[in-house]
Amino acid sequence: MSSSFRFDPNAAPVASTERAERLIDPGFGRVFTDHMTVIHFSDAEGWHDPHVTARAPLQIDPASSVLHYAQEIFEGMKAYRLADGGTALFRPDANARRFQDSARRLAMPELPESLFIESIERLVDADRDWIPGGEGALYLRPFMFASEVFLGVKPASEYLYMVIASSVGAYWKGGMRPITVWVSREHTRAAAGGTGAAKCGGNYAASLIAQKAAITQGCDQVVFLDAVERRWVEELGGMNLFFVLDDGTLVTPPLTGTILPGITRDSLITLARADGLTVREEPYAIDQWRADAESGRLVEAFACGTAAVVTPVGKVRDLEGDFAIGGGGTGQITRRLHQALNAIQRGTAPDLHNWLHRLN
């Protein structure tokens, strides 16, 4: 298909004064921009009608297959305002490839990488005034769902791909701080052969009951164990995990098909190794986590993801007993890796890995 995007500007955009007011403290995921990207797909026409238009509510048929069979995938990424005044995306090619992987797992059409990236570029170009200053960013949410109107268990023949954008500040209120996590002993996130490595809404829906339990226990997040032995640490409800040992070694659970292959996770592994640190991708048991924390062998733990970037884990709550990591604060390696990644994303450090995709 031709990648010539049509632009239908919003006839009633948010006034600049009101936009400036919203950007003072946007929080996370509540302030949305003026436009959205839309591309249609059908078996008959392929990808067609790419355009950027005014953000507006959708009108869909109650028999749209996504509402009944949950064929839906999404991505999360950010556009940053750089130190030199320009703007850039961070590793959009990696997001594009993961979006294709998720689509393939959910029996959905694969959006070409070039079209995925252009869909983001066009939206950011239209709404670049919504990128906050300081530590803020423009959070981008590409997503795709089955839009064919039918009832029947089969892959749909029609899909709608869209991108919306949200001006965001810090994910955690008050900025980066050590969080407390709850070990879910009753529920698991994913099993071998399932959709654990795909970024689909069903994974998150299934995790919410465990997250609700975590909140009830006074925790910020839930940590899931493997579905077979209920022994091996996998990931949080929406973030990957790293463990820092007293010799400076980093351990993170391996990608075996049940864990989301995080782009922030991959970036931190690269940065840590470039900094001379040893990183081991290997199974790490919950009992080992407790023993290492209590003996002092484990000095830091942190979670990571696009939204929160890097978040230290200070305490673990568990039916089998609570334990703290290190002094319960933010460790030196956690802080160092966060600062290194943030500096690249903001354009204040050399981009040695060619991760920045400049837009202007």
Side-chain angles (χ1 to χ4, degrees):
M1 66 160 288
S2 168
S3 64
S4 56
F5 273 71
R6 185 176 77 252
F7 180 47
D8 301 324
N10 191 326
V14 174
S16 59
T17 52
E18 183 178 347
R19 182 179 64 235
E21 188 173 319
R22 294 184 190 182
L23 294 184
I24 293 173
D25 184 18
F28 195 94
R30 297 186 181 277
V31 174
F32 295 95
T33 67
D34 291 312
H35 296 90
M36 61 185 184
T37 303
V38 181
I39 309 177
H40 296 266
F41 178 90
S42 69
D43 286 350
E45 298 181 76
W47 296 103
H48 62 281
D49 192 24
H51 60 283
V52 174
T53 188
R55 181 181 178 275
L58 298 179
Q59 184 173 9
I60 63 173
D61 192 285
S64 296
S65 62
V66 66
L67 301 177
H68 305 272
Y69 309 110
Q71 261 191 303
E72 181 273 348
I73 59 174
F74 66 97
E75 272 298 319
M77 53 198 300
K78 289 177 179 176
Y80 297 90
R81 194 176 300 282
L82 303 179
D84 63 7
T87 56
L89 304 174
F90 182 74
R91 301 188 67 181
D93 54 333
N95 289 98
R97 290 190 295 270
R98 189 171 66 181
F99 197 70
Q100 290 177 331
D101 292 342
S102 296
R104 190 161 51 251
R105 179 61 184 84
L106 273 291
M108 302 170 78
E110 295 179 36
L111 184 70
E113 181 177 323
S114 59
L115 193 55
F116 177 95
I117 293 175
E118 186 174 4
S119 74
I120 305 295
E121 292 173 334
R122 297 298 182 114
L123 181 59
V124 175
D125 184 58
D127 286 341
R128 68 176 64 254
D129 290 341
W130 285 90
I131 304 176
E135 293 300 305
L138 190 64
Y139 185 82
L140 298 152
R141 172 52 58 87
F143 62 102
M144 178 168 62
F145 63 88
S147 56
E148 183 183 0
V149 178
F150 81 101
L151 296 178
V153 184
K154 69 176 184 66
S157 62
E158 297 176 4
Y159 296 86
L160 195 61
Y161 166 81
M162 306 179 70
V163 189
I164 56 175
S166 175
S167 307
V168 299
Y171 186 78
W172 301 110
K173 193 71 174 177
M176 188 173 76
R177 61 174 176 79
I179 61 171
T180 300
V181 299
W182 170 253
V183 179
S184 180
R185 296 282 183 172
E186 182 179 1
H187 300 100
T188 59
R189 178 185 174 275
T195 59
K199 200 166 177 65
C200 61
N203 289 344
Y204 293 81
S207 75
L208 294 180
I209 188 170
Q211 177 61 28
K212 183 178 179 180
I215 294 170
T216 301
Q217 294 293 331
C219 299
D220 302 287
Q221 266 284 345
V222 60
V223 57
F224 289 104
L225 306 180
D226 74 287
V228 178
E229 298 182 62
R230 307 293 180 96
R231 175 189 177 193
W232 305 105
V233 178
E234 296 222 311
E235 62 177 291
L236 300 190
M239 292 181 278
N240 296 120
L241 271 170
F242 281 83
F243 306 96
V244 184
L245 305 182
D246 55 5
D247 63 357
T249 297
L250 275 70
V251 176
T252 190
L255 301 179
T256 58
T258 61
I259 293 175
L260 187 71
I263 294 165
T264 305
R265 172 189 182 277
D266 181 73
S267 302
L268 291 172
I269 289 173
T270 299
L271 291 176
R273 287 174 172 160
D275 197 29
L277 299 173
T278 298
V279 182
R280 301 202 305 262
E281 297 179 69
E282 62 186 30
Y284 193 71
I286 180 62
D287 291 343
Q288 190 67 48
W289 189 357
R290 181 193 309 278
D292 287 347
E294 291 176 349
S295 70
R297 180 170 181 255
L298 178 72
V299 294
E300 302 176 37
F302 62 87
C304 65
T306 298
V309 190
V310 174
T311 300
V313 177
K315 185 177 182 181
V316 179
R317 299 206 62 196
D318 185 7
L319 289 173
E320 298 187 5
D322 303 349
F323 59 93
I325 295 115
T330 302
Q332 292 183 358
I333 290 179
T334 299
R335 191 178 301 279
R336 194 165 86 215
L337 288 174
H338 175 260
Q339 291 173 344
L341 181 59
N342 186 66
I344 295 171
Q345 292 171 332
R346 304 283 175 178
T348 60
D351 179 21
L352 302 178
H353 306 285
N354 296 314
W355 285 339
L356 285 187
H357 181 86
R358 291 193 68 111
L359 302 178
N360 69 320

